Amino acid sequence: MNSVKTVAVLTSGGDAPGMNAAVRAVVRTGIYNGLKVLGIKKGYEGLLRGDIEEMTLRSVGDIIQKGGTILQTARSKEFTTKAGLEKAMSMAKIFDIDALVVIGGDGSYRGARDLSELGMNVIGIPGTIDNDIACTEYTIGYDTAMNTVLDAIDKIRDTSYSHERCSVLEVMGRNAGWIAVNCGIAGGAEAIILPEKEFDIDKDIIIPIVEGRNRGKKHYLVIVAEGVGGAVEIAKYIEEKTEITTRATILGYIQRGGSPTVTDRVMASRMGAMAINLLLEGKKNRIIAVRDGKLTDLEINEALNMEKTIDGDLIDLSRILAL
Ligand code: F6P
């Protein structure tokens, strides 16, 4: 059964709204169950440098509503080397860390898996706005980011309508189009361009705009996923071909920050508590995930070997509704 006495928690990769709620849940559930909980600053960088401090019930007070991560985060190059991993393990021994909770994405899990091969017990919590972690349907921060994008779309629509313009909006997601497809549907886009689906600029963007204009449409929205990119060039091309004034907006970091939504706060809280409960049950090297709408956990290598792609029905729906 459980031999864990000291648990450390870190956030790694891109920050995502709700990470603080997950840290809070790890700390409070851990302390409630008699564990010592350490916070590691700046992801694996902090583990390498021993930038580690004991967390208390109060050190996670007043953070549930905050975006970003109070532990800060980083993408560490040194940690990916053999020497870096060994250094991290020896630092973990100095601090008596029995288990490590990693809040981040697939890249962070790969680091966790490498540590597990050296004997560390690791638990992964999915945290990224991109929703690009293969084993899970939901990631912390994704819901907030989509609501932020939708708010931007609604504002841009006001101006597009008033001036009878076209707007091209580039949204984040790294190599995945989850934010783009859902916000495109929710925002009523004329065209959604995703990395998961090849596109033809004339067939997929110009024709829907021109046909829409012939049916009486007065303004147009094109969503481009970051994994395709080129929003500025696409906007120029649309203006050239249609003579509709077209502007590009690249939303950037505005999508990463901000106060987490109810969904992100509650899911992050449940996942943080679950991480501690898995350790108390004596489980080792698990990734927490949502599958078929339910919270579950998978062995880390199994989780890392999975793949996921956007449901074709969502893409078809977006095309029909843009008519
Ligand atoms: O993973 C979150 C994310 O914002 C991606 O959407 C984007 O590709 C990447 O991080 C940007 O990373 P950075 O902040 O390091 O430039």
Coordinates of all heavy atoms in Angstrom, one line a residue, residues 13-15 75 128-130 132 171-175 179 226 252-253 256, ligand 1:
G13 N 5.7 23.3 -19.1 CA 5.2 23.6 -20.4 C 4.4 25.0 -20.3 O 4.6 25.8 -19.4
G14 N 3.5 25.2 -21.3 CA 2.8 26.5 -21.3 C 1.8 26.6 -20.1 O 1.2 25.6 -19.8
D15 N 1.7 27.7 -19.5 CA 0.8 27.9 -18.4 C -0.6 27.8 -19.0 O -0.9 28.0 -20.2 CB 1.0 29.3 -17.7 CG 0.7 30.4 -18.6 OD1 1.1 30.4 -19.8 OD2 -0.1 31.4 -18.2
R75 N 10.2 25.4 -20.0 CA 10.5 24.3 -20.9 C 12.0 24.1 -20.8 O 12.7 24.8 -21.4 CB 10.1 24.6 -22.3 CG 8.6 25.0 -22.5 CD 8.2 25.1 -24.0 NE 7.2 26.1 -24.3 CZ 5.9 25.8 -24.2 NH1 5.4 24.6 -23.9 NH2 5.0 26.7 -24.6
T128 N -3.1 22.1 -20.4 CA -2.7 22.9 -21.5 C -3.9 23.4 -22.2 O -5.0 22.7 -22.2 CB -1.9 22.0 -22.6 OG1 -1.9 22.7 -23.8 CG2 -2.5 20.7 -22.8
I129 N -3.8 24.6 -22.7 CA -5.0 25.2 -23.4 C -5.3 24.4 -24.7 O -6.4 24.5 -25.3 CB -4.9 26.7 -23.7 CG1 -3.7 27.0 -24.7 CG2 -4.7 27.5 -22.4 CD1 -3.8 28.3 -25.3
D130 N -4.3 23.7 -25.3 CA -4.4 23.1 -26.6 C -5.3 21.9 -26.7 O -5.7 21.5 -27.8 CB -3.0 22.7 -27.1 CG -2.0 23.9 -27.1 OD1 -2.5 25.0 -27.3 OD2 -0.8 23.7 -27.0
D132 N -4.4 19.0 -26.6 CA -3.7 18.1 -27.6 C -3.0 16.9 -26.9 O -2.1 16.3 -27.4 CB -2.7 18.9 -28.4 CG -1.6 19.5 -27.5 OD1 -1.7 19.5 -26.3 OD2 -0.6 20.0 -28.1
V171 N -5.9 31.4 -34.1 CA -6.0 31.0 -32.7 C -5.0 29.9 -32.3 O -4.5 29.2 -33.2 CB -7.4 30.5 -32.3 CG1 -8.5 31.5 -32.6 CG2 -7.7 29.2 -33.1
M172 N -4.6 29.8 -31.1 CA -3.6 28.9 -30.6 C -4.0 27.4 -30.7 O -5.2 27.1 -31.0 CB -3.1 29.2 -29.2 CG -2.1 30.3 -29.2 SD -1.5 30.5 -27.5 CE -0.1 31.6 -27.8
G173 N -3.1 26.5 -30.4 CA -3.4 25.1 -30.4 C -2.3 24.2 -30.8 O -2.4 23.0 -30.9
R174 N -1.1 24.9 -31.0 CA 0.1 24.2 -31.4 C -0.2 23.4 -32.7 O -0.6 24.1 -33.7 CB 0.7 23.3 -30.3 CG 2.1 22.9 -30.5 CD 2.6 22.0 -29.5 NE 2.7 22.7 -28.2 CZ 3.7 23.4 -27.8 NH1 4.8 23.5 -28.5 NH2 3.7 24.0 -26.6
N175 N -0.1 22.1 -32.7 CA -0.3 21.4 -34.0 C -1.8 20.8 -34.0 O -2.1 20.0 -34.9 CB 0.6 20.2 -34.1 CG 2.1 20.7 -34.2 OD1 2.3 21.7 -34.9 ND2 3.0 20.1 -33.4
I179 N -9.2 24.2 -30.5 CA -9.7 25.5 -30.2 C -10.4 26.1 -31.4 O -11.5 26.6 -31.4 CB -8.6 26.4 -29.6 CG1 -8.0 25.9 -28.3 CG2 -9.1 27.9 -29.5 CD1 -6.9 26.8 -27.7
E226 N -3.3 28.0 -35.4 CA -1.9 28.3 -35.4 C -1.1 27.2 -36.1 O -0.1 27.6 -36.8 CB -1.5 28.3 -33.9 CG 0.0 28.4 -33.6 CD 0.3 28.1 -32.2 OE1 -0.5 27.4 -31.4 OE2 1.4 28.5 -31.8
G252 N -2.9 35.3 -29.9 CA -1.7 35.1 -29.1 C -1.9 34.9 -27.6 O -2.9 34.2 -27.3
Y253 N -1.1 35.4 -26.8 CA -1.1 35.1 -25.3 C -2.4 35.5 -24.6 O -2.6 35.0 -23.5 CB 0.1 35.8 -24.6 CG 1.4 35.0 -24.8 CD1 2.6 35.7 -24.5 CD2 1.4 33.7 -25.1 CE1 3.8 35.0 -24.7 CE2 2.6 33.0 -25.3 CZ 3.8 33.7 -25.1 OH 4.9 33.0 -25.2
R256 N -4.0 32.5 -23.3 CA -3.4 31.7 -22.2 C -3.7 32.2 -20.8 O -3.7 31.4 -19.8 CB -1.8 31.7 -22.4 CG -1.4 30.8 -23.5 CD -0.6 29.6 -23.1 NE 0.7 29.9 -22.5 CZ 1.8 29.8 -23.2 NH1 1.8 29.6 -24.4 NH2 3.0 30.1 -22.5
Ligands
F6P1 O1 0.8 25.0 -25.4 C1 0.2 26.3 -25.3 C2 0.8 27.2 -26.4 O2 0.2 28.5 -26.2 C3 0.5 26.7 -27.8 O3 -0.8 27.0 -28.2 C4 1.6 27.4 -28.6 O4 1.9 26.8 -29.8 C5 2.7 27.5 -27.6 O5 2.2 27.2 -26.3 C6 3.5 28.7 -27.6 O6 4.6 28.5 -26.8 P1 5.5 29.7 -26.2 O7 4.7 30.4 -25.2 O8 6.6 29.0 -25.5 O9 5.9 30.6 -27.3

